[in-house]
Amino acid sequence: QVQLAMSGGGSVQAGGSLRLACAVSGYFYKRYCIGWLRRVSDQAREEVGHIYIVDGISGGTTAYADSVQGRFTISRDSTDNTVYLHMSNLQSEDTSLYYCAARLNDYCPASESGYNYWSRGTQVTVSS
């Protein structure tokens, strides 16, 4: 059973920075994708970025939504299977409930419905 434990989040003023961490545990596949998503409505979440990981290869392949490109960065610590979302120059529109999600043994999905495992959400609030 794969589990995703998220930590971080909180409140910050506009222009500030925060870091979210997603600790992945359980059964590991040779390749998997970790996505970072945030809620945009009662029914939907948007992906802000993802990292595609292949076991044995350091780092990973990342991609970001246009809305966060240049401000958000995803990194990985392979020693403890933790993926980080570094958020800088935060703006009020970044305020949301954030999640990390995993898709195993496959490439990163095109939408939130393609993720198989989810963390609990953590709130990020940016005040102007």
Side-chain angles (χ1 to χ4, degrees), residues 5-108:
M6 195 154 82
S7 59
S11 298
V12 67
Q13 290 193 328
S17 300
L18 285 173
R19 188 184 76 169
L20 304 180
C22 179
V24 185
S25 63
Y27 186 82
F28 288 95
Y29 288 83
K30 182 175 175 58
R31 60 192 182 114
Y32 56 101
C33 178
I34 300 295
W36 289 96
L37 299 94
R38 62 188 181 189
R39 187 163 292 282
V40 294
S41 72
D42 288 343
Q43 304 299 326
R45 288 172 282 208
E46 70 167 355
E47 184 182 285
V48 298
H50 63 242
I51 181 168
Y52 174 66
I53 296 166
V54 177
D55 186 36
I57 299 177
S58 63
T61 303
T62 57
Y64 303 93
D66 289 344
S67 59
V68 305
Q69 183 74 45
R71 300 188 299 120
F72 290 13
T73 303
I74 298 171
S75 66
R76 169 201 178 202
D77 185 343
S78 60
T79 61
D80 62 1
N81 295 312
T82 300
V83 175
Y84 297 95
L85 178 66
H86 306 265
M87 303 180 291
S88 63
N89 191 22
L90 283 160
Q91 304 299 315
S92 57
E93 54 265 34
D94 297 315
T95 295
S96 186
L97 194 63
Y98 284 71
Y99 303 83
C100 63
R103 181 176 176 87
L104 306 179
N105 201 31
D106 206 343
Y107 294 105
C108 293

